[in-house]
Amino acid sequence: MKVLLRNPRRELDVPGPLRVNALLAKLELNRESVLVIKGDTLVTGDALLADDDSVEVRPVISGGAV
Amino acid sequence: MTKCRRCKGPAVIDIRRHNAAFCTDCFLHHCREQVRKSIHDFRMIAEGERVLVAVSGGKDSLALWDILLDMGYDADGVYLGLGIGDYSNESHRMSRAYADKRGAKLVEIELRDDFGFDIPTGSKAARRVPCSACGLSKRHLFNKAAIDGGYDVVATGHNLDDEAAVLFGNVLRWATDYLGRQLPVLPGEHGFPRKVKPLVRLGEREMAAYCVLRGIDYIVEECPMAEGNKHLGYKEALNAIEEQSPGSKAAFYFGFLDRASAMFTPQAVAERVDLKPCSSCGAPTTGDVCAFCNLVVKATR
Ligand code: SF4
Ligand SMILES: [Zn+2]
Ligand SMILES: [Zn+2]
């Protein structure tokens, strides 16, 4: 599957099928810090991603001093 | 497949802190309910009051503005141009686009045009950390925009993660003066408008999800000045704890509000009594000239 990552923007190819949580574990990402976007919606941790899927893994942490 | 807690349809997001998952409609409902509860519990906004939302083009402020408008509040936005290259151009464009789409009013201030400096060069000239010059400018100019425009309250997009991270930093240094002021509502007095943070019951991940599910375009890229700052480090540390035990951030922050914050307020209140108008701009200050006017002088010399 195609995985788009942000900050910096880059694309990875990850073999599917794979559950979202397993994908995040593989990328060593904390599930509290990202969202997984498929099309114009989101997918939950247990969703199964197929080999021909395209997803975006978007970081949600923003941070200036407040 | 995970099911929505409310309607049992297919879920699109799980929130481990609440041990719940939601479909799109029920998630948007959940966000509005959390904001409604914060506004009610902390008496943030009274009926008929005019609200000025501090808009940065990021997920939190655009989501907050969207929720307040949907709830029927009289809410305008204010955007401050910081002059931080592409980041500022993009964030301005996103803020403008949202305002146009909603037909909402956006007050626009440009540091460079209106005060003669921008954050990257001005902070260097003034020998300040960019985020400190930026935070000071935002606080001052949002207050001023609210007073000038006759608004009752300034609303900012600080979410649960922001507040927990700031609290964590303040506790690590036992900054008791800051601890006394870290409240979801700061009353309007001594020439300051009331300041409220209606997103304190919602996490950062929920705000990003809200924007995605509502089709709101926001700036995903980080401000380049944020890199390596302590605030981000605190957030990562707290998220590492949260992943092991969901709910930790909320327990930390709301436990502080319920059981500890009152111990620190007398000091903060005492600091507010000595205020007099800045000799240059008239804003309330403890010195002769306020910190912002001071910054302008140093940043433009
Ligand atoms: S990261 Fe710092 S400089 Fe950038 S917007 Fe936030 S406070 Fe301002
Ligand atoms: Zn539902
Ligand atoms: Zn001044």
Side-chain angles (χ1 to χ4, degrees):
Chain A
M1 69 189 85
K2 292 224 174 322
V3 181
L4 171 68
L5 295 161
R6 306 285 290 256
N7 299 348
R9 208 184 180 94
R10 58 211 188 277
E11 224 176 64
L12 295 178
D13 246 315
V14 179
L18 198 62
R19 298 217 182 263
V20 167
N21 280 339
L23 172 67
L24 296 181
K26 202 176 177 122
L27 299 172
E28 293 180 21
L29 291 170
N30 184 328
R31 341 181 218 168
E32 294 302 324
S33 320
V34 296
L35 286 173
V36 180
I37 304 174
K38 195 172 135 185
D40 59 1
T41 190
L42 301 168
V43 284
T44 52
D46 68 343
L48 192 63
L49 301 171
D51 197 49
D52 58 355
D53 273 339
S54 259
V55 292
E56 176 188 340
V57 178
R58 184 181 290 189
V60 298
I61 300 194
S62 52
V66 204
Chain B
M1 172 154 247
T2 312
K3 284 188 183 152
C4 171
R5 168 157 94 182
R6 201 157 154 256
C7 74
K8 312 292 174 222
V12 296
I13 180 166
D14 32 28
I15 307 173
R16 296 170 71 222
R17 170 172 103 256
H18 291 304
N19 196 11
F22 296 105
C23 70
T24 299
D25 284 351
C26 295
F27 175 72
L28 298 176
H29 173 85
H30 155 83
C31 291
R32 290 185 200 113
E33 280 311 300
Q34 297 301 314
V35 169
R36 190 186 310 281
K37 188 163 161 42
S38 297
I39 291 176
H40 173 267
D41 290 357
F42 297 110
R43 299 164 189 258
M44 291 183 171
I45 310 170
E47 217 180 287
E49 284 190 324
R50 294 183 63 219
V51 185
L52 187 62
V53 183
V55 177
S56 71
K59 62 189 191 314
D60 304 303
S61 56
L62 289 179
L64 171 61
W65 199 8
D66 194 64
I67 294 172
L68 291 178
L69 288 172
D70 281 351
M71 289 171 75
Y73 284 103
D74 179 359
D76 295 344
V78 56
Y79 173 83
L80 175 61
L82 305 166
I84 308 178
D86 287 347
Y87 168 77
S88 286
N89 296 338
E90 268 296 276
S91 60
H92 192 182
R93 198 177 59 74
M94 303 273 185
S95 306
R96 187 71 259 168
Y98 177 81
D100 291 346
K101 192 170 94 181
R102 284 294 303 231
K105 180 180 167 187
L106 181 67
V107 179
E108 289 156 296
I109 311 168
E110 267 308 322
L111 274 184
R112 216 179 276 139
D113 301 346
D114 300 334
F115 299 94
F117 73 100
D118 56 45
I119 292 299
T121 57
S123 61
K124 217 175 263 164
R127 298 213 171 89
R128 288 186 78 130
V129 181
C131 292
S132 125
C134 180
L136 165 60
S137 305
K138 284 178 185 164
R139 280 192 299 279
H140 179 89
L141 293 170
F142 294 155
N143 283 349
K144 179 172 155 31
I147 301 286
D148 292 353
Y151 294 92
D152 302 287
V153 40
V154 173
T156 56
H158 296 95
N159 57 47
L160 174 60
D161 293 68
D162 292 319
E163 293 304 296
V166 170
L167 176 60
F168 191 54
N170 288 340
V171 168
L172 279 179
R173 287 176 290 113
W174 289 113
T176 51
D177 47 344
Y178 287 111
L179 286 170
R181 267 175 281 152
Q182 205 194 335
L183 298 167
V185 178
L186 288 176
E189 52 185 11
H190 309 297
F192 289 110
R194 187 184 325 131
K195 302 272 222 26
V196 303
K197 301 171 180 170
L199 300 183
V200 288
R201 302 182 62 84
L202 291 159
E204 192 142 57
R205 194 167 160 271
E206 287 156 276
M207 298 335 296
Y210 180 91
C211 287
V212 172
L213 296 173
R214 279 282 287 158
I216 297 172
D217 263 331
Y218 67 91
I219 184 154
V220 177
E221 280 63 42
E222 260 307 304
C223 171
M225 305 278 143
E227 208 171 299
N229 80 17
K230 285 189 188 142
H231 191 66
L232 280 178
Y234 296 153
K235 281 188 173 174
E236 277 167 22
L238 288 171
N239 272 344
I241 298 171
E242 184 82 14
E243 194 175 36
Q244 296 300 315
S245 81
S248 300
K249 282 182 286 197
F252 180 49
Y253 176 64
F254 288 103
F256 164 74
L257 290 186
D258 283 347
R259 299 196 292 278
S261 94
M263 291 180 221
F264 303 102
T265 41
Q267 184 182 350
V269 169
E271 277 168 14
R272 273 202 156 194
V273 286
D274 275 341
L275 297 171
K276 50 183 193 306
C278 164
S279 60
S280 168
C281 76
T285 175
T286 48
D288 172 39
V289 174
C290 77
F292 179 72
C293 289
N294 234 319
L295 172 68
V296 174
V297 170
K298 290 183 180 158
T300 53
R301 69 186 165 193

Coordinates of all heavy atoms in Angstrom, one line a residue, chain B residues 194-271:
Chain B
R194 N -11.8 39.1 28.9 CA -11.8 37.7 29.4 C -11.2 36.8 28.4 O -11.3 37.0 27.2 CB -13.3 37.3 29.7 CG -13.3 35.9 30.4 CD -14.8 35.4 30.6 NE -15.7 36.5 30.8 CZ -16.8 36.7 30.1 NH1 -17.2 35.8 29.2 NH2 -17.6 37.8 30.3
K195 N -10.4 35.8 28.9 CA -9.7 34.9 28.0 C -10.3 33.5 28.3 O -10.3 33.1 29.5 CB -8.2 34.9 28.3 CG -7.6 36.2 28.1 CD -7.2 36.4 26.7 CE -5.8 37.0 26.5 NZ -4.8 36.9 27.4
V196 N -10.7 32.8 27.3 CA -11.2 31.4 27.5 C -10.6 30.4 26.6 O -10.2 30.7 25.5 CB -12.8 31.4 27.3 CG1 -13.4 32.4 28.3 CG2 -13.2 31.7 25.9
K197 N -10.6 29.1 27.0 CA -10.0 28.0 26.3 C -11.1 26.9 26.2 O -11.0 25.9 26.9 CB -8.8 27.5 27.0 CG -7.7 28.5 27.1 CD -6.5 28.0 28.0 CE -5.5 29.1 28.2 NZ -4.5 28.7 29.2
P198 N -12.0 27.0 25.3 CA -13.1 26.1 25.2 C -12.8 24.7 24.8 O -13.6 23.8 24.9 CB -14.1 26.7 24.2 CG -13.7 28.1 24.1 CD -12.2 28.2 24.3
L199 N -11.5 24.4 24.3 CA -11.1 23.1 23.8 C -10.4 22.3 24.9 O -9.9 21.2 24.6 CB -10.3 23.2 22.6 CG -10.8 23.9 21.4 CD1 -9.8 23.8 20.2 CD2 -12.2 23.3 20.9
V200 N -10.4 22.7 26.1 CA -9.6 22.0 27.1 C -10.1 20.5 27.4 O -9.3 19.7 27.9 CB -9.5 22.7 28.5 CG1 -8.7 23.9 28.4 CG2 -10.9 23.0 29.1
R201 N -11.3 20.2 27.0 CA -11.7 18.8 27.2 C -11.5 18.0 26.0 O -11.9 16.8 26.0 CB -13.2 18.8 27.5 CG -13.6 19.6 28.8 CD -15.1 19.5 29.0 NE -15.4 18.1 29.3 CZ -15.3 17.5 30.5 NH1 -14.9 18.3 31.5 NH2 -15.6 16.3 30.7
L202 N -10.8 18.5 25.0 CA -10.6 17.7 23.7 C -9.1 17.7 23.5 O -8.4 18.6 23.6 CB -11.3 18.4 22.5 CG -12.8 18.3 22.6 CD1 -13.5 19.4 21.7 CD2 -13.3 16.9 22.1
G203 N -8.6 16.5 23.0 CA -7.2 16.3 22.8 C -6.9 16.8 21.4 O -7.7 17.0 20.5
E204 N -5.6 16.8 21.2 CA -5.0 17.3 19.9 C -5.5 16.4 18.7 O -5.8 16.8 17.6 CB -3.5 17.2 20.1 CG -2.7 17.8 19.0 CD -1.5 18.5 19.7 OE1 -0.7 17.8 20.3 OE2 -1.3 19.7 19.5
R205 N -5.5 15.1 19.0 CA -5.8 14.1 18.0 C -7.3 14.3 17.6 O -7.7 14.2 16.4 CB -5.6 12.7 18.5 CG -5.6 11.6 17.5 CD -5.0 10.3 18.1 NE -5.4 9.2 17.3 CZ -6.6 8.5 17.5 NH1 -7.3 8.9 18.6 NH2 -6.9 7.5 16.8
E206 N -8.1 14.6 18.6 CA -9.6 14.9 18.3 C -9.7 16.1 17.5 O -10.6 16.2 16.6 CB -10.3 15.0 19.6 CG -10.5 13.7 20.3 CD -10.7 13.9 21.8 OE1 -9.7 14.0 22.6 OE2 -11.9 13.9 22.3
M207 N -8.9 17.1 17.7 CA -9.1 18.4 16.9 C -8.7 18.2 15.4 O -9.3 18.7 14.5 CB -8.3 19.5 17.5 CG -8.6 19.9 18.9 SD -10.3 19.6 19.4 CE -11.3 20.6 18.3
A208 N -7.6 17.4 15.2 CA -7.2 17.1 13.9 C -8.3 16.3 13.2 O -8.7 16.5 12.0 CB -5.9 16.4 13.8
A209 N -8.8 15.3 13.9 CA -9.9 14.5 13.4 C -11.1 15.3 13.0 O -11.8 15.1 12.0 CB -10.2 13.4 14.4
Y210 N -11.4 16.2 13.9 CA -12.6 17.1 13.6 C -12.4 17.8 12.3 O -13.4 17.8 11.5 CB -12.7 18.1 14.8 CG -13.9 19.0 14.6 CD1 -15.2 18.7 15.1 CD2 -13.8 20.2 13.8 CE1 -16.3 19.6 14.9 CE2 -14.9 21.1 13.6 CZ -16.1 20.7 14.2 OH -17.2 21.5 14.0
C211 N -11.3 18.4 12.1 CA -11.0 19.1 10.8 C -11.1 18.2 9.6 O -11.7 18.5 8.6 CB -9.7 19.8 10.8 SG -9.7 21.3 11.9
V212 N -10.5 17.0 9.7 CA -10.5 16.1 8.6 C -12.0 15.7 8.3 O -12.4 15.8 7.1 CB -9.7 14.8 8.9 CG1 -10.0 13.7 7.8 CG2 -8.2 15.1 9.0
L213 N -12.8 15.4 9.3 CA -14.1 14.9 9.1 C -15.1 16.0 8.7 O -16.1 15.8 8.1 CB -14.6 14.2 10.3 CG -13.9 12.9 10.7 CD1 -14.3 12.3 12.0 CD2 -14.0 11.8 9.6
R214 N -14.8 17.3 9.0 CA -15.6 18.4 8.6 C -15.1 19.0 7.3 O -15.7 20.0 6.8 CB -15.5 19.5 9.7 CG -16.4 19.2 10.9 CD -17.8 19.6 10.5 NE -18.1 21.0 10.5 CZ -19.1 21.6 9.8 NH1 -19.9 20.9 9.1 NH2 -19.2 22.9 9.8
G215 N -14.0 18.4 6.7 CA -13.5 19.0 5.5 C -12.9 20.4 5.6 O -12.9 21.2 4.7
I216 N -12.3 20.7 6.8 CA -11.7 22.0 7.0 C -10.2 21.8 6.7 O -9.5 21.0 7.2 CB -11.8 22.4 8.5 CG1 -13.3 22.6 8.8 CG2 -11.0 23.7 8.7 CD1 -13.6 22.9 10.3
D217 N -9.7 22.6 5.7 CA -8.3 22.6 5.4 C -7.5 23.4 6.4 O -7.9 24.6 6.6 CB -8.1 23.3 4.0 CG -8.0 22.3 2.9 OD1 -7.6 21.2 3.2 OD2 -8.4 22.6 1.8
Y218 N -6.5 22.8 7.0 CA -5.7 23.6 8.0 C -4.3 23.3 7.7 O -3.9 22.4 6.9 CB -6.1 23.1 9.4 CG -5.7 21.7 9.7 CD1 -4.4 21.4 10.3 CD2 -6.6 20.7 9.5 CE1 -4.1 20.1 10.6 CE2 -6.2 19.4 9.8 CZ -5.0 19.1 10.3 OH -4.6 17.8 10.6
I219 N -3.4 24.1 8.3 CA -2.0 24.0 8.0 C -1.4 22.8 8.8 O -1.4 22.9 10.1 CB -1.2 25.3 8.1 CG1 0.3 25.1 7.7 CG2 -1.3 25.9 9.6 CD1 0.9 26.4 7.3
V220 N -0.9 21.8 8.1 CA -0.4 20.6 8.8 C 1.1 20.8 9.1 O 1.6 20.3 10.1 CB -0.6 19.3 7.9 CG1 0.0 18.1 8.6 CG2 -2.1 19.1 7.7
E221 N 1.8 21.5 8.3 CA 3.2 21.8 8.5 C 3.4 22.5 9.8 O 2.6 23.4 10.2 CB 3.8 22.6 7.3 CG 4.1 21.7 6.1 CD 2.8 21.1 5.5 OE1 1.8 21.8 5.4 OE2 2.9 19.9 5.1
E222 N 4.5 22.2 10.4 CA 4.9 22.9 11.7 C 5.4 24.3 11.4 O 6.1 24.5 10.4 CB 5.9 22.0 12.3 CG 5.4 21.1 13.4 CD 4.6 21.9 14.4 OE1 5.2 22.9 15.0 OE2 3.5 21.5 14.6
C223 N 5.3 25.1 12.4 CA 6.0 26.4 12.3 C 7.5 26.1 12.5 O 7.9 25.3 13.4 CB 5.6 27.3 13.5 SG 6.6 28.8 13.6
P224 N 8.3 26.6 11.5 CA 9.7 26.2 11.6 C 10.5 26.6 12.9 O 11.5 26.1 13.2 CB 10.4 26.9 10.4 CG 9.4 27.9 9.9 CD 8.0 27.5 10.4
M225 N 9.9 27.6 13.5 CA 10.5 28.1 14.8 C 10.3 27.2 16.0 O 10.9 27.3 17.0 CB 9.9 29.5 15.2 CG 9.9 30.5 14.1 SD 11.6 31.3 14.1 CE 11.8 31.5 12.3
A226 N 9.3 26.2 15.8 CA 9.0 25.4 16.9 C 10.0 24.3 17.2 O 10.1 23.7 18.3 CB 7.6 24.7 16.7
E227 N 10.8 24.0 16.1 CA 11.7 22.8 16.2 C 12.5 22.8 17.4 O 13.2 23.8 17.8 CB 12.6 22.9 15.0 CG 13.1 21.5 14.5 CD 13.8 21.6 13.2 OE1 13.2 22.0 12.2 OE2 15.0 21.2 13.2
G228 N 12.5 21.7 18.1 CA 13.3 21.5 19.2 C 12.9 22.2 20.5 O 13.6 22.2 21.5
N229 N 11.7 22.9 20.5 CA 11.3 23.6 21.7 C 10.8 22.6 22.8 O 10.5 21.5 22.5 CB 10.4 24.8 21.4 CG 9.0 24.4 21.2 OD1 8.5 23.3 21.5 ND2 8.2 25.3 20.6
K230 N 10.9 23.1 24.0 CA 10.5 22.3 25.1 C 9.1 21.8 25.1 O 8.8 20.7 25.5 CB 10.8 23.1 26.4 CG 12.2 23.2 26.8 CD 12.3 23.8 28.2 CE 13.8 24.2 28.5 NZ 13.8 25.4 29.2
H231 N 8.2 22.7 24.7 CA 6.8 22.4 24.6 C 6.6 21.0 23.9 O 5.8 20.2 24.3 CB 6.1 23.5 24.0 CG 4.6 23.5 24.1 ND1 3.9 23.6 25.3 CD2 3.6 23.3 23.1 CE1 2.6 23.5 25.1 NE2 2.4 23.3 23.8
L232 N 7.2 20.9 22.7 CA 7.0 19.7 21.9 C 7.6 18.5 22.6 O 7.0 17.4 22.6 CB 7.7 19.8 20.6 CG 7.0 20.6 19.5 CD1 7.8 20.7 18.2 CD2 5.6 19.9 19.2
G233 N 8.7 18.7 23.3 CA 9.3 17.6 24.1 C 8.4 17.1 25.2 O 8.2 15.9 25.5
Y234 N 7.7 18.1 25.9 CA 6.8 17.7 27.0 C 5.6 16.9 26.4 O 5.1 16.0 27.0 CB 6.3 19.0 27.7 CG 7.3 19.7 28.4 CD1 7.2 21.1 28.6 CD2 8.5 19.1 28.9 CE1 8.2 21.9 29.2 CE2 9.4 19.9 29.5 CZ 9.3 21.2 29.7 OH 10.2 21.9 30.4
K235 N 5.1 17.3 25.2 CA 4.0 16.6 24.6 C 4.4 15.2 24.3 O 3.6 14.3 24.5 CB 3.5 17.4 23.3 CG 2.7 18.6 23.6 CD 2.1 19.1 22.3 CE 1.2 20.2 22.6 NZ 0.7 20.9 21.4
E236 N 5.6 15.0 23.7 CA 6.0 13.7 23.4 C 6.1 12.8 24.6 O 5.7 11.6 24.7 CB 7.3 13.7 22.6 CG 7.1 14.0 21.2 CD 8.4 14.3 20.4 OE1 9.5 14.0 20.9 OE2 8.3 15.0 19.4
A237 N 6.7 13.4 25.7 CA 6.8 12.6 26.9 C 5.4 12.2 27.5 O 5.2 11.1 27.9 CB 7.5 13.5 28.0
L238 N 4.5 13.2 27.4 CA 3.2 12.9 28.0 C 2.4 11.8 27.1 O 1.7 11.0 27.6 CB 2.3 14.1 28.1 CG 2.7 15.1 29.2 CD1 2.0 16.4 29.1 CD2 2.5 14.5 30.6
N239 N 2.7 11.9 25.8 CA 2.0 10.9 24.9 C 2.6 9.5 25.1 O 1.9 8.5 24.9 CB 2.2 11.3 23.4 CG 1.0 12.2 23.0 OD1 0.0 12.3 23.7 ND2 1.2 12.9 21.9
A240 N 3.9 9.4 25.5 CA 4.5 8.1 25.7 C 3.8 7.5 27.0 O 3.5 6.3 27.0 CB 6.0 8.3 26.0
I241 N 3.5 8.4 28.0 CA 2.8 7.9 29.2 C 1.3 7.5 28.8 O 0.8 6.5 29.2 CB 2.8 9.0 30.3 CG1 4.2 9.3 30.7 CG2 1.9 8.6 31.5 CD1 4.4 10.5 31.6
E242 N 0.7 8.4 28.0 CA -0.7 8.2 27.6 C -0.9 6.9 26.8 O -1.9 6.2 27.0 CB -1.1 9.4 26.7 CG -2.6 9.3 26.3 CD -3.6 9.9 27.4 OE1 -3.1 10.5 28.3 OE2 -4.8 9.6 27.2
E243 N 0.1 6.5 26.0 CA 0.0 5.3 25.2 C 0.0 4.1 26.2 O -0.8 3.1 26.0 CB 1.1 5.1 24.2 CG 0.8 4.1 23.2 CD 1.9 4.0 22.1 OE1 3.1 4.2 22.4 OE2 1.5 3.6 21.0
Q244 N 0.7 4.1 27.3 CA 0.8 3.1 28.2 C -0.5 3.1 29.1 O -1.1 2.1 29.4 CB 2.0 3.2 29.2 CG 3.3 3.1 28.5 CD 3.5 1.7 27.8 OE1 3.1 0.7 28.4 NE2 3.9 1.7 26.6
S245 N -0.9 4.3 29.5 CA -2.1 4.3 30.3 C -3.0 5.5 29.9 O -2.9 6.7 30.3 CB -1.8 4.4 31.8 OG -1.4 5.6 32.3
P246 N -4.0 5.2 29.0 CA -4.9 6.2 28.4 C -5.6 6.9 29.6 O -6.1 6.3 30.5 CB -5.8 5.4 27.6 CG -5.1 4.1 27.3 CD -4.2 3.8 28.4
G247 N -5.7 8.2 29.4 CA -6.5 9.0 30.4 C -5.5 9.8 31.3 O -6.0 10.6 32.1
S248 N -4.2 9.5 31.2 CA -3.3 10.2 32.1 C -3.2 11.7 32.0 O -3.2 12.4 32.9 CB -1.8 9.6 31.9 OG -1.8 8.2 32.1
K249 N -3.3 12.1 30.7 CA -3.2 13.6 30.5 C -4.4 14.3 31.1 O -4.2 15.3 31.7 CB -3.1 13.9 29.0 CG -1.8 13.6 28.4 CD -1.7 14.0 26.9 CE -2.5 13.0 26.0 NZ -2.2 13.1 24.6
A250 N -5.6 13.7 30.9 CA -6.8 14.4 31.4 C -6.8 14.3 32.9 O -7.1 15.3 33.6 CB -8.0 13.7 30.8
A251 N -6.3 13.2 33.5 CA -6.3 13.1 35.0 C -5.3 14.1 35.5 O -5.6 14.8 36.6 CB -5.9 11.7 35.4
F252 N -4.2 14.3 34.9 CA -3.1 15.2 35.3 C -3.7 16.7 35.3 O -3.6 17.4 36.3 CB -1.9 15.1 34.4 CG -0.8 16.0 34.7 CD1 -0.2 16.2 35.9 CD2 -0.2 16.8 33.6 CE1 0.8 17.0 36.2 CE2 0.9 17.6 33.9 CZ 1.4 17.7 35.2
Y253 N -4.3 17.1 34.2 CA -4.7 18.5 34.0 C -6.0 18.8 34.9 O -6.0 19.7 35.6 CB -5.0 18.8 32.5 CG -5.6 20.1 32.3 CD1 -4.9 21.3 32.6 CD2 -6.9 20.3 31.8 CE1 -5.4 22.6 32.4 CE2 -7.4 21.6 31.6 CZ -6.7 22.7 31.9 OH -7.2 23.9 31.8
F254 N -7.0 17.9 34.8 CA -8.2 18.2 35.5 C -8.0 18.0 37.0 O -8.7 18.6 37.9 CB -9.4 17.4 35.0 CG -9.8 18.0 33.6 CD1 -9.5 17.3 32.5 CD2 -10.5 19.2 33.6 CE1 -9.9 17.8 31.2 CE2 -10.9 19.7 32.3 CZ -10.6 19.0 31.2
G255 N -7.1 17.1 37.4 CA -6.8 16.9 38.8 C -6.1 18.2 39.4 O -6.4 18.6 40.5
F256 N -5.3 18.8 38.5 CA -4.7 20.1 38.9 C -5.7 21.1 39.1 O -5.7 21.8 40.2 CB -3.7 20.5 37.8 CG -3.3 21.9 37.9 CD1 -2.4 22.4 38.9 CD2 -3.8 22.9 37.0 CE1 -2.0 23.7 39.0 CE2 -3.4 24.2 37.1 CZ -2.5 24.6 38.1
L257 N -6.7 21.2 38.2 CA -7.7 22.3 38.3 C -8.6 22.0 39.5 O -8.9 23.0 40.3 CB -8.6 22.3 37.1 CG -8.0 22.8 35.7 CD1 -9.1 22.8 34.7 CD2 -7.4 24.1 35.9
D258 N -8.9 20.8 39.8 CA -9.8 20.5 40.9 C -9.1 20.6 42.3 O -9.7 21.0 43.2 CB -10.3 19.0 40.8 CG -11.4 18.9 39.7 OD1 -11.9 19.9 39.3 OD2 -11.7 17.7 39.4
R259 N -7.9 20.1 42.3 CA -7.3 19.9 43.7 C -6.1 20.8 44.0 O -5.7 20.8 45.1 CB -7.0 18.4 43.9 CG -8.2 17.6 43.8 CD -8.0 16.2 44.3 NE -7.1 15.4 43.5 CZ -7.4 14.7 42.4 NH1 -8.7 14.8 42.0 NH2 -6.5 14.1 41.7
A260 N -5.5 21.4 43.0 CA -4.2 22.1 43.3 C -4.2 23.6 42.9 O -3.6 24.4 43.5 CB -3.1 21.4 42.6
S261 N -4.9 23.9 41.8 CA -4.7 25.3 41.2 C -5.0 26.4 42.2 O -4.3 27.4 42.2 CB -5.4 25.4 39.9 OG -6.7 26.0 40.1
A262 N -6.0 26.2 43.0 CA -6.4 27.3 44.0 C -5.3 27.6 44.9 O -5.2 28.8 45.4 CB -7.6 26.8 44.8
M263 N -4.3 26.7 45.2 CA -3.2 27.0 46.1 C -2.3 28.0 45.5 O -1.5 28.7 46.2 CB -2.4 25.7 46.3 CG -3.2 24.7 47.1 SD -2.0 23.3 47.3 CE -3.2 22.0 47.1
F264 N -2.3 28.2 44.2 CA -1.4 29.1 43.5 C -2.0 30.4 43.1 O -1.3 31.3 42.7 CB -0.7 28.4 42.3 CG 0.0 27.1 42.6 CD1 -0.7 25.9 42.4 CD2 1.2 27.1 43.3 CE1 0.0 24.7 42.7 CE2 1.8 25.9 43.6 CZ 1.2 24.7 43.3
T265 N -3.3 30.5 43.2 CA -3.9 31.8 42.7 C -3.6 33.0 43.5 O -3.5 34.1 42.9 CB -5.5 31.6 42.5 OG1 -6.0 30.9 43.6 CG2 -5.8 30.9 41.2
P266 N -3.5 33.0 44.8 CA -3.3 34.3 45.6 C -2.1 35.0 45.0 O -2.2 36.3 44.8 CB -3.0 33.8 47.0 CG -3.7 32.5 47.1 CD -3.6 31.9 45.8
Q267 N -1.0 34.4 44.7 CA 0.2 35.0 44.1 C -0.1 35.7 42.8 O 0.2 36.9 42.6 CB 1.3 34.0 43.9 CG 2.6 34.7 43.5 CD 3.7 33.6 43.2 OE1 3.5 32.4 43.6 NE2 4.8 34.0 42.6
A268 N -0.9 35.0 41.9 CA -1.2 35.6 40.6 C -2.1 36.8 40.8 O -2.0 37.8 40.1 CB -1.9 34.5 39.8
V269 N -3.1 36.7 41.7 CA -4.0 37.8 41.9 C -3.2 39.0 42.4 O -3.4 40.2 42.0 CB -5.1 37.4 42.9 CG1 -5.9 38.6 43.4 CG2 -6.0 36.4 42.3
A270 N -2.3 38.8 43.3 CA -1.5 39.9 43.9 C -0.7 40.6 42.8 O -0.6 41.9 42.8 CB -0.5 39.4 45.0
E271 N -0.3 39.9 41.8 CA 0.5 40.5 40.7 C -0.3 41.4 39.8 O 0.2 42.2 39.1 CB 1.2 39.4 39.9 CG 2.5 38.9 40.5 CD 3.0 37.7 39.8 OE1 2.5 37.4 38.7 OE2 3.9 37.1 40.4

